[in-house]
Amino acid sequence: MMHTIYYGSAMDVLRKFFPKKGEMNTILGSFSASAIDGTHGGPYSPGTGLSLAYHYTMGDIYDFRTFRGGIGALSDALVSSLTDNGGEIRYKSTVKRFLTVGNKVTGVELRNGEKIYAKVVVSSLDAQTTFVKMAKEVLLPSDFTRKVNEIKYQNGYLQIHLTLSELPEFKDHLAFANDNNIRWLMAYIRSPEHLQQCWEEYQRGEVPSDPVSYCVISSLMDPTLATGPGYTCTIFSHYFPYNIPNGKHNEYRDIMADRCIEQIAKYAPKFRDSIMNKAVLTHKYFESKFGITGGDFTHGLIQPSQWWDKRPVKGWSNYRTPLDNLYMCGSSSHPGPGVTCIPGYNAANEVLKDLGIKVTAPISTNDKAKKSIFFWRNKAKVV
Ligand SMILES: Cc1cc2nc3c(=O)[nH]c(=O)nc-3n(C[C@H](O)[C@H](O)[C@H](O)COP(=O)(O)OP(=O)(O)OC[C@H]3O[C@@H](n4cnc5c(N)ncnc54)[C@H](O)[C@@H]3O)c2cc1C
């Protein structure tokens, strides 16, 4: 089974548990959707079994949790924890390159020319940005550079942010979803073949004709997220074409957004009319706004060749790098993407070890961080 999980497709794994073809198609569609997140594959592509396992090991059961006040509340809590412990944060300070002496990193130079020297530099950028852009003046081992250049970042997706004047009312066999405990987080994926079709169209560089919409009405769970009348709604969809012809991005984006909205509107007829505001973002936006290679939020796709001891590249999965005093701490490190804080936690411990600092008591967190509340499923749960 381990071999199937690691090298097989999501459907190879799922068929062990759901052997009868033609049954439980919607459930299999939902399982497959987690498997193709952060991969360059479809439910039948070898390697997606690993992504399925990754997504289902993120919690004791696979569940979406969200912070009261949105994901920014986590950032705020981390910021105040750091500043309360004497740390300083510089906003809007783009790092241009690492400062080095021989093979040792001694600090960073910002885009405005300011130089900041440090005993240790820890990069949460993806590996290509870190080593190809920030360290381009340093001679790195050629084998290491080759592996970094081979990392796959081909992750096409689209996200729509909406405000709605009213909640979608689903009809017919989906009317049960009008219960708010269900309606706040929905995806209707008819079958793995539905996703497979999207994947095949994506591979041909086409906008999926029938894209899958994952829809969250977040202010239903957390009313503080809607600052005015109505509701906040986010739709996410995989397989926005990756290499699109020059000048065609916005056209493709708008076509796909419209098709994603139609996925909901065909079961909830008043949905389109309820849209008050709309913003559509694709991986291109995340690439230009956050400097992530290819806009890939995983910082290196979830696939067997980029996992465990091969993350970010084989031989360097221990948060250290070929450059002295430079460490990696973001999603490009083990155990990969998602808002888990685990790569950062592990990296911090390795840095402390190398600096000979023994942590005798946990770093204190302030009240705000301690009071972070996750909404878990349909109940608010303090963790
Ligand atoms: C649309 C979308 C939906 C997602 N949904 C989920 C979800 O539901 N659950 C989940 O767990 N994960 C989700 N993710 C993934 C999650 O956001 C990422 O895995 C996570 O943010 C990665 O964190 P990170 O700290 O490693 O890197 P990043 O969040 O990419 O942080 C890197 C930071 O470095 C900054 N930076 C870049 N270049 C420079 C530079 N030169 N100088 C200074 N700073 C720089 C960037 O501005 C950024 O703030 C989603 C991602 C996207 C895009």
Side-chain angles (χ1 to χ4, degrees), residues 93-95 125 134 157 159 236 286 290 297 299 330-331 337-339:
S93 306
T94 305
V95 173
L125 313 182
M134 302 292 156
Y157 57 90
Q159 174 129 327
F236 180 85
F286 290 90
F290 297 104
F297 57 76
H299 290 201
S331 293
V339 183

Side-chain angles (χ1 to χ4, degrees), residues 270-288:
K270 288 196 209 150
F271 185 66
R272 261 184 204 284
D273 289 343
S274 73
I275 297 172
M276 298 192 289
N277 299 292
K278 179 173 77 174
V280 187
L281 313 172
T282 70
H283 57 265
K284 287 272 173 214
Y285 167 85
F286 290 90
E287 179 174 29
S288 60

Side-chain angles (χ1 to χ4, degrees), residues 29 72 79 84 98 127 159 162 181-182 206 226 266 289 297:
V79 165
D84 284 3
F98 297 130
Q159 174 129 327
L162 303 170
N181 284 336
I182 298 171
E206 298 165 15
K266 67 183 171 193
K289 186 81 182 164
F297 57 76

Side-chain angles (χ1 to χ4, degrees), residues 37 54 58 64-65 71 93-96 110-111 124-126 129 134 157-159 161 234 236 281 286 289-292 295-299 329-332 336-340 343:
D37 184 40
Y54 159 80
M58 282 183 86
F64 285 95
R65 297 173 185 209
I71 191 69
S93 306
T94 305
V95 173
K96 194 169 79 185
L110 303 184
R111 196 191 273 160
S124 71
L125 313 182
D126 66 76
T129 306
M134 302 292 156
Y157 57 90
L158 172 139
Q159 174 129 327
H161 293 279
T234 306
F236 180 85
L281 313 172
F286 290 90
K289 186 81 182 164
F290 297 104
I292 319 170
D296 172 19
F297 57 76
T298 66
H299 290 201
C329 73
S331 293
S332 69
V339 183
T340 67

Side-chain angles (χ1 to χ4, degrees), residues 210-330:
D210 194 15
V212 166
S213 282
Y214 312 89
C215 176
V216 183
I217 304 176
S218 42
S219 65
L220 260 185
M221 275 303 277
D222 180 358
T224 66
L225 293 174
T227 49
Y231 303 88
T232 56
C233 172
T234 306
I235 296 172
F236 180 85
S237 190
H238 293 110
Y239 301 136
F240 178 70
Y242 197 77
N243 294 318
I244 28 188
N246 277 345
K248 288 277 183 193
H249 173 269
N250 292 358
E251 187 189 322
Y252 279 38
R253 180 197 63 194
D254 294 344
I255 292 171
M256 180 140 165
D258 194 63
R259 289 180 185 171
C260 288
I261 288 169
E262 184 54 26
Q263 288 295 314
I264 298 165
K266 67 183 171 193
Y267 302 109
K270 288 196 209 150
F271 185 66
R272 261 184 204 284
D273 289 343
S274 73
I275 297 172
M276 298 192 289
N277 299 292
K278 179 173 77 174
V280 187
L281 313 172
T282 70
H283 57 265
K284 287 272 173 214
Y285 167 85
F286 290 90
E287 179 174 29
S288 60
K289 186 81 182 164
F290 297 104
I292 319 170
T293 300
D296 172 19
F297 57 76
T298 66
H299 290 201
L301 298 177
I302 304 171
Q303 58 184 47
S305 61
Q306 301 183 172
W307 212 241
W308 303 120
D309 59 326
K310 298 181 223 51
R311 197 161 185 92
V313 295
K314 195 166 171 55
W316 296 97
S317 58
N318 60 358
Y319 310 95
R320 295 173 183 81
T321 72
L323 298 177
D324 290 345
N325 302 345
L326 177 69
Y327 294 77
M328 299 294 286
C329 73

Side-chain angles (χ1 to χ4, degrees), residues 195-207:
L195 274 175
Q196 177 68 15
Q197 182 193 322
C198 299
W199 159 241
E200 286 172 13
E201 289 166 325
Y202 169 77
Q203 277 181 296
R204 293 197 292 269
E206 298 165 15
V207 173

